Amino acid sequence: MKKLTTSVLAIVLTASFGMVSAQNTPGDTLQVNDIREIVVTGALGLKKRQDAVVGSNKVIDNKELNQAVNPNAAQALTGKVAGLQINTLNTNVNSTATVTIRGPRSISGNNQALVVIDGAISTLAIFQQLPPEVVESVNVIKGQQGSALYGEKGSNGVIVVTTKKGTKSEKIQFTLTSSIDISSIYKTPIRQQLYGQGWTGEPTGFSDVEYGGSNWVPFENGSWGPAYNDPQIGGQLLITGLPQADGSLIYTPYAARKNNTDKFFKKGVLLQNGVSINVGGRDSYSFLSFNRVENDFMIEGDKLKRNTIFYKGGKQLGKLRIDATFNFIDQNITQTGGNTFANLMQTPTNVDVKRYENSGMDGHWTAFARSPYWMRDHFRNNANVTTFNGVISLGYEFSKNISLTYTGNMTTSSTVAETYNDQYTSKEARVFSGTGTPYDGLSYLKLGAAPITSAYNKSLNKIWRYYGDLMLNFNYDLTDDINFKLNLGNNIQDSKEDYTEVGGTNLQIPGWYNVRNIVNSTPWYNLNNGSVRRRNVAWFSNLDLGYKDYLFLNATYRFEQSSVLSIRETPLPGEAPRPLNNKGYSYYSAGFSFIPTKAFKNLTNGDVLTYAKVSGGFTRTGNSILDPYAVDERGVFPTGFPFGNLSSYIVNRTPVAQDIKPEFNNTLEANLSFGLFKDRITFDGSVYQTKTDGLITNSGVSNTTGLTTVFDNAGAMRNRGFEVELGLTPFKSKDFEWNLKGSYSKYKAVVTSLDNGALTVPRNVAGSDIPAGLYAVLGGSANTIMGTAYQRDPEGRIVVDDLGLPIVSSQYKVLGKLDPDYILAFSTSIRVKSFTISAVADYRTGNSFLSENKNNMAYVGTLEKQADFNRAYGYVIPNSVQNTGTAANPIYVTNTTTVGDNPTYAGAVNYFTTNYRSDIAEEFMVDGTALKVREIAVSYAVPKSVLANTFVNSMSIGVYARNPFVVYAKDNRNFGDGEMQNTASIAASQYPTSRNFGFNFNVTF
C-alpha cells in the first residue's frame, strides 16, 4: 500500500479545509459576513463566536451532513472531521457505530465521545436514530478545553448536536423529503478456485476413487476434494448436496463458480420519507417533523421500521424565554440470529447456492454445516425500542447583564427483545428414500450433523434518565475594551435501569414463541435480572474575558460527586454503622485565543493574510469508569456451593479497591488557524498531549490475600497527536465554484506505567479458539493485539521442527494494534450553476485485526494459499528452515520436509485443520489498511426563477452513493473490514461491506 499512501498524501497536501459554519440562532443579534464571527453552540449550550473558542472544534452543517442521505447521523460524520474516528461495527439491518475523538484515554473504560443534543447530555444510540434532516449542525469539540464543563462524562470529547428551529415567518412552510436506496453486497472473501467439494480419506458409496489423494463427497462442507482440472472428474455433472423433499437430487458441474456465496444475499431497499412543518413569528417559532425509515435488508426477512416524531418550539414571554424539544422514536427490528455468515462461508465453490433456498436443513448442500437459509428462517432476533426524549429550556433576564437559565432533559427508553430458534432433531429429520443412491435410509443427522434444541428468551429493559443544568449568567462590559462573562451553575444527573429476562429450551409447541411454552427454564443465575441506579451532582463555573475583540481568555471549574464512588466503610466490632462516604473531585481548564489579524491590522494589507488565530490551553478532566455498586460489593452468590443446589456467599476474589479514584486526564493543546487570499487557502492545525494518571485496571495481588486481582488505580498512559486541515478554493464565481478539503490526523497512545511489575494487562480474548487477545502493553498501545507467532531465523524465515511443523512462540508476542497510524481524509464539492457534485473519502493505515472468517476458511480449505501447491504431495511451509545445529549455535538449512512428515494430501489437510488454525494466531492477523470513498453525491437545485409562479419555494433532486469504492490492503482478501473490529470483539465474523446507491427528492412549499 506504499504507493497508495503516497498518492493520497499528495492529494491531501494540495487539498483543503473549509472553515466552519454554524447556526445563527434566533436571538443572536450578531450580523456579520465573516463566518468566524458567527455564533456556535458549545459546552452546556453556551454560545460564543468562533473567534472566542479557545479549543479545537469543527462544525458540520446540515447540508454537508446529509449530502449522501445517510440514515445514521453518526456515520454521516465519517471522513468530515479530523481527529474524529467513526467505526461502523456491523453492516446488518441496524448498522451501528462507535465514535472516538483523538484516540483512547482509558484501558478499562468507555472511550467514546459524549453526545449532547440541544444542550442536554444524550446517548449515541439516540443520535444514530435521530433523522439527519432535523439536525441543524453538529459541533465536534475535539479539544478537552470545551468538554471540561461536563466533568467525567466529557472526558472523551463532546459532540454537540443542535436541531433545527422553526422560521420567523408567520406563513406555514412544509418540507417533504424522500429517498430510496438500493444496497448490495460488496467485498465478500476471495476463495481459491482450484479444488472443490470433498475430503481426503472419505470414500463413500458414491465413489471410492481417489483423485490425487482425495475423495469426492457430495455432502461435504470442505473444499478438500479433487482439483477441478483433474480430467477424471473436472466438469462432470455430479450430485451436489442432499436429496430434496421430493426425493430428487441436484446435479451441478464439478467446476468453480466465482462469488457463488453472493447469491445468498438479495438487493436491499432502504426508504426514507419525511415531512416537516415550519411556522413562527417575531417572538416564537415551531417546528414539527414526521419521519419514517424502512430497511428491507439484503438478507430475506431482516427488516427495520423506524417512526420518529420530532417537535421543537419556543416563545418569548416578556423577560422569560421558553424552548422545548420533544422526540419520540419507535423502532422495530427483526434479523437473523446464529452464525449465519460463518455457515455460508463453508460453501465449496462448485455449489450453486441459490438452488438450495427452499431445501431446508434436510436438503442442504452439506451435512456438516447448518443451512444459512434454514438459519435465516429459524434463528431470529426481534427487538422493539421505544424512546422518548424531552428537553425544556427556560431563560429569564433580570437585566441586560444578568440572566438565569435552566435546561432539563428527561429520556425514557423501553426495549423488548426476543430471541428464539426452532429445533431440528430426529423428530424433524427426514429419512431419505427413493433416490436410488447411497442416501437411501440415511438422514441429515445420521450423516454426522448435530441436532438443534429449540429455545426462547425474552428480555425487557427500561431506562430512565434525567439531566438538569441551572445557570446564573453574568455579562458585563467592564470597560470599553474588556468584556466579562461568568456562568455559575449546578448540574444533576440521575439514571435508573431495570432489566428482566426469562427464557429456556425445548418448546413444547413448535412455532409458539412464549415463555409458557418452555419445557426447561433457564436457571435464574444464567439470566440477566436486576436494577441499577446512578447519580451525579456537580457545581461548575465558566469565565470568559474578551479584550478588544482579539484576545479571549476562558477558565472553567467543576466539582463533581458520583454515586458510583460512594463507600460505606465496614465498622469495627462494636462500632456504630459508619456514614456513607463520597469524596468529590475537581475538573478545570484554562485557555486563550488570540487573533493577530485583528490586533495588528497591517497584517492584512496586501490581501495575502486574511485571518490568523492562535489558541491553546490546559485541561484536567476525569472518568470514574465504574459500574454502580462496584465499590459496595458484599460477596459473591455462587451456585452449587457448598454442595448440590445449596448456595452460600463466598468472598469476591476480584474486588474493587475501596479507595479507588477516577482516572484523571491532563491535556495540553495548541492550535493555529489562518486564511490566505480572502480564505481561498485555509489552514487549521492542532497539537496535543493527554496524560492519564491513575489508570484503572485489574492489578495482581499476593496469593496469600485469597484474592485474584483488585480493580484499582494501577498505571498511567500518554496520548500525543496532531491534526492538520487544509483548504483550497481554486475557482469561485457566480456560476462555478470548486472547493477542496483535506485533513491528516495522527495520535499515539502509550501505556507509560503499570503497577506491581506488570508488563501487560489483558483486555479481551480473540474467540474462535485463536490463541490471541487484546492487551494494554507497557511502552506500547492500549489496543495491542498479542498472540502466538512463528519462530523465525535472523533472515525472517519460519523455523520448523523435524516433522516440518512450524515452531511457535511459547509466549504471546505483539502482532499488531487496532489503532491506525494516521487517517487521511479528503472531500471536494463542485458547483456548476444549480448542479453540485460532492465526494468524501478517507484512508487509514497501521491498524490490524484478527479475522474469524480467515480462520473458518482455513478449516474448509478455501484460502487462496491452500491452492498454491499440489495437495497430492503434501505441504512444505514456504520460506522455512530447519535448525541442524544447536539452540546456542543454530545452523539453518532450507526445509524440504512436508508438514507432519507426511507427503500426502491427507498430511496437508491434517495440518490446515489442526495446527494451522489453533496454534498460530499470526496467520489470522490482517492488515486493516483501507481507502474508502465514503460518499459521492450529485444534486440539482431547481432555479427559483422556474418556481416563481408556483406554490413551491424550493426543490432539489439528487443521486448518491455510499461506500461505492473500497480498496483493502493486499493481504486482506476481503476477510473483513478493520473498521468493524473494536475492543469488545477483535475477531468477529461480520457481514461483508455493502454499498448503497440512491435517489432523493426535497421540496419546500
Side-chain angles (χ1 to χ4, degrees), residues 449-605:
I452 299 173
T453 302
S454 57
Y456 174 78
N457 273 65
K458 184 173 184 177
S459 63
L460 172 63
N461 184 266
K462 302 189 76 172
I463 299 174
W464 175 86
R465 295 189 186 93
Y466 165 78
Y467 175 92
D469 277 326
L470 179 67
M471 284 195 295
L472 183 62
N473 311 295
F474 302 90
N475 187 349
Y476 284 93
D477 288 325
L478 301 180
T479 69
D480 291 341
D481 297 328
I482 300 176
N483 176 258
F484 166 86
K485 293 180 181 178
L486 178 65
N487 311 96
L488 301 175
N490 168 257
N491 172 247
I492 297 176
Q493 299 176 55
D494 195 353
S495 65
K496 182 172 61 176
E497 181 176 1
D498 294 293
Y499 45 95
T500 304
E501 184 182 13
V502 294
T505 59
N506 288 314
L507 301 181
Q508 196 167 18
I509 302 174
W512 183 28
Y513 309 113
N514 190 288
V515 67
R516 290 176 292 175
N517 193 37
I518 294 172
V519 175
N520 300 318
S521 296
T522 303
W524 61 268
Y525 48 80
N526 286 333
L527 293 171
N528 199 20
N529 291 281
S531 180
V532 172
R533 190 164 190 180
R534 176 173 183 156
R535 301 189 74 214
N536 286 62
V537 178
W539 297 92
F540 61 85
S541 62
N542 177 75
L543 172 66
D544 284 293
L545 293 173
Y547 177 73
K548 284 190 174 181
D549 206 29
Y550 64 75
L551 179 62
F552 304 91
L553 300 177
N554 173 261
T556 69
Y557 179 80
R558 180 182 176 106
F559 180 80
E560 184 164 12
Q561 291 177 288
S562 173
S563 65
V564 301
L565 293 172
S566 298
I567 300 173
R568 191 180 301 277
E569 297 178 351
T570 303
L572 297 173
E575 185 182 9
R578 296 183 179 183
L580 195 68
N581 179 20
N582 188 293
K583 184 179 180 181
Y585 295 92
S586 300
Y587 312 109
Y588 45 83
S589 69
F592 75 95
S593 172
F594 175 56
I595 317 298
T597 46
K598 290 186 177 181
F600 310 104
K601 295 294 185 180
N602 60 335
L603 290 177
T604 59
N605 294 342

Side-chain angles (χ1 to χ4, degrees), residues 130 183 216 365 458 635 650 659 805 935:
L130 197 66
S183 57
W216 163 69
W365 56 73
K458 184 173 184 177
I650 63 173
D659 59 349
L805 296 173
E935 299 175 353

Side-chain angles (χ1 to χ4, degrees), residues 887-906:
N889 297 292
I891 301 173
Y892 297 108
V893 298
T894 301
N895 171 50
T896 58
T897 305
T898 57
V899 288
D901 197 14
N902 187 350
T904 66
Y905 201 126

Side-chain angles (χ1 to χ4, degrees), residues 269-534:
V269 178
L270 174 65
L271 298 172
Q272 299 181 74
N273 293 289
V275 57
S276 62
I277 305 170
N278 243 321
V279 68
R282 181 181 57 82
D283 57 1
S284 61
Y285 68 91
S286 189
F287 176 79
L288 179 64
S289 170
F290 301 90
N291 182 274
R292 181 175 174 85
V293 176
E294 294 184 63
N295 188 3
D296 185 3
F297 191 56
M298 297 177 296
I299 294 179
E300 190 67 45
D302 286 15
K303 298 180 184 295
L304 175 146
K305 293 181 180 179
R306 182 192 304 147
N307 295 301
T308 303
I309 301 174
F310 179 88
Y311 173 77
K312 190 171 187 178
K315 177 71 175 177
Q316 187 75 40
L317 301 170
K319 294 186 176 182
L320 177 66
R321 177 80 194 179
I322 302 175
D323 294 272
T325 301
F326 301 102
N327 188 24
F328 175 80
I329 304 171
D330 182 70
Q331 179 172 277
N332 286 279
I333 300 171
T334 177
Q335 58 187 326
T336 184
N339 207 344
T340 304
F341 187 66
N343 279 276
L344 178 64
M345 291 314 297
Q346 296 183 45
T347 309
T349 54
N350 58 284
V351 175
D352 188 352
V353 168
K354 195 66 177 176
R355 295 181 66 179
Y356 298 84
E357 183 170 9
N358 300 310
S359 298
M361 195 76 87
D362 286 337
H364 187 34
W365 56 73
T366 176
F368 301 113
R370 310 294 191 195
S371 164
Y373 290 109
W374 193 92
M375 299 284 286
R376 179 195 70 186
D377 298 335
H378 295 274
F379 275 71
R380 304 299 301 176
N381 295 329
N382 302 328
N384 171 249
V385 183
T386 303
T387 303
F388 172 81
N389 185 59
V391 181
I392 299 291
S393 296
L394 303 174
Y396 187 83
E397 290 187 358
F398 297 100
S399 67
K400 69 176 183 178
N401 305 114
I402 304 175
S403 65
L404 183 69
T405 59
Y406 170 78
T407 299
N409 168 236
M410 185 183 73
T411 300
T412 62
S413 178
S414 173
T415 302
V416 180
E418 290 183 309
T419 63
Y420 64 82
N421 68 267
D422 297 322
Q423 76 174 15
Y424 186 85
T425 63
S426 57
K427 181 179 178 181
E428 287 75 30
R430 170 173 54 92
V431 176
F432 307 135
S433 62
T435 67
T437 71
Y439 278 131
D440 291 342
L442 299 175
S443 70
Y444 175 79
L445 294 178
K446 288 182 179 179
L447 285 168
I452 299 173
T453 302
S454 57
Y456 174 78
N457 273 65
K458 184 173 184 177
S459 63
L460 172 63
N461 184 266
K462 302 189 76 172
I463 299 174
W464 175 86
R465 295 189 186 93
Y466 165 78
Y467 175 92
D469 277 326
L470 179 67
M471 284 195 295
L472 183 62
N473 311 295
F474 302 90
N475 187 349
Y476 284 93
D477 288 325
L478 301 180
T479 69
D480 291 341
D481 297 328
I482 300 176
N483 176 258
F484 166 86
K485 293 180 181 178
L486 178 65
N487 311 96
L488 301 175
N490 168 257
N491 172 247
I492 297 176
Q493 299 176 55
D494 195 353
S495 65
K496 182 172 61 176
E497 181 176 1
D498 294 293
Y499 45 95
T500 304
E501 184 182 13
V502 294
T505 59
N506 288 314
L507 301 181
Q508 196 167 18
I509 302 174
W512 183 28
Y513 309 113
N514 190 288
V515 67
R516 290 176 292 175
N517 193 37
I518 294 172
V519 175
N520 300 318
S521 296
T522 303
W524 61 268
Y525 48 80
N526 286 333
L527 293 171
N528 199 20
N529 291 281
S531 180
V532 172
R533 190 164 190 180
R534 176 173 183 156

Side-chain angles (χ1 to χ4, degrees), residues 871-894:
R871 295 178 176 180
Y873 302 106
Y875 178 63
V876 177
I877 304 293
N879 194 32
S880 62
V881 295
Q882 289 181 329
N883 181 11
T884 60
T886 64
N889 297 292
I891 301 173
Y892 297 108
V893 298
T894 301

Side-chain angles (χ1 to χ4, degrees), residues 562-870:
S562 173
S563 65
V564 301
L565 293 172
S566 298
I567 300 173
R568 191 180 301 277
E569 297 178 351
T570 303
L572 297 173
E575 185 182 9
R578 296 183 179 183
L580 195 68
N581 179 20
N582 188 293
K583 184 179 180 181
Y585 295 92
S586 300
Y587 312 109
Y588 45 83
S589 69
F592 75 95
S593 172
F594 175 56
I595 317 298
T597 46
K598 290 186 177 181
F600 310 104
K601 295 294 185 180
N602 60 335
L603 290 177
T604 59
N605 294 342
D607 292 332
V608 176
L609 180 63
T610 307
Y611 176 83
K613 174 183 175 180
V614 180
S615 63
F618 170 80
T619 307
R620 180 177 173 86
T621 59
N623 192 357
S624 65
I625 79 167
L626 298 176
D627 295 326
Y629 322 121
V631 297
D632 197 33
E633 291 182 299
R634 300 296 185 183
V636 174
F637 191 63
T639 59
F641 177 84
F643 54 85
N645 293 325
L646 299 178
S647 296
S648 176
Y649 286 107
I650 63 173
V651 173
N652 177 16
R653 300 188 65 191
T654 58
V656 176
Q658 292 287 293
D659 59 349
I660 195 169
K661 298 177 178 62
E663 300 175 335
F664 285 104
N665 303 316
N666 301 298
T667 302
L668 286 169
E669 177 185 10
N671 311 292
L672 172 65
S673 302
F674 61 80
L676 304 174
F677 306 110
K678 296 184 178 179
D679 286 344
R680 299 291 282 270
I681 300 174
T682 59
F683 171 90
D684 271 73
S686 298
V687 60
Y688 58 89
Q689 174 179 274
T690 297
K691 289 185 177 181
T692 302
D693 297 324
L695 205 62
I696 297 176
T697 183
N698 284 311
S699 178
V701 295
S702 170
N703 292 333
T704 59
T705 64
L707 305 178
T708 304
T709 60
V710 174
F711 200 56
D712 198 0
N713 304 103
M717 180 192 296
R718 184 189 65 235
N719 187 349
R720 290 174 176 167
F722 67 93
E723 300 149 1
V724 176
E725 301 183 77
L726 301 168
L728 178 66
T729 303
F731 302 100
K732 186 174 182 180
S733 66
K734 178 182 177 182
D735 295 328
F736 180 76
E737 183 175 348
W738 182 18
N739 292 296
L740 294 166
K741 303 176 183 179
S743 67
Y744 176 94
S745 58
K746 177 183 179 65
Y747 67 84
K748 187 174 183 179
V750 176
V751 178
T752 54
S753 70
L754 292 172
D755 288 358
N756 300 322
L759 298 178
T760 62
V761 174
R763 301 186 61 193
N764 206 344
V765 296
S768 301
D769 295 325
I770 301 174
L774 186 69
Y775 290 79
V777 177
L778 182 63
S781 170
N783 291 325
T784 298
I785 302 174
M786 298 184 68
T788 54
Y790 291 114
Q791 181 178 316
R792 299 177 183 271
D793 72 354
E795 296 181 26
R797 297 174 296 183
I798 297 171
V799 180
V800 301
D801 61 19
D802 293 342
L803 296 177
L805 296 173
I807 300 175
V808 181
S809 59
S810 58
Q811 300 292 327
Y812 276 13
K813 294 186 176 182
V814 173
L815 302 178
K817 57 185 175 61
L818 295 182
D819 302 322
D821 287 342
Y822 60 86
I823 299 176
L824 289 169
F826 169 76
S827 64
T828 185
S829 66
I830 301 173
R831 180 184 58 82
V832 182
K833 292 187 176 180
S834 297
F835 285 93
T836 302
I837 303 172
S838 57
V840 177
D842 67 0
Y843 173 76
R844 306 181 188 186
T845 189
N847 55 311
S848 303
F849 66 97
L850 283 164
S851 174
E852 183 179 280
N853 280 337
K854 186 177 181 182
N855 187 271
N856 187 27
M857 291 167 63
Y859 180 78
V860 296
T862 55
L863 294 179
E864 291 174 292
K865 68 181 297 179
Q866 292 170 325
D868 288 343
F869 61 96
N870 190 332

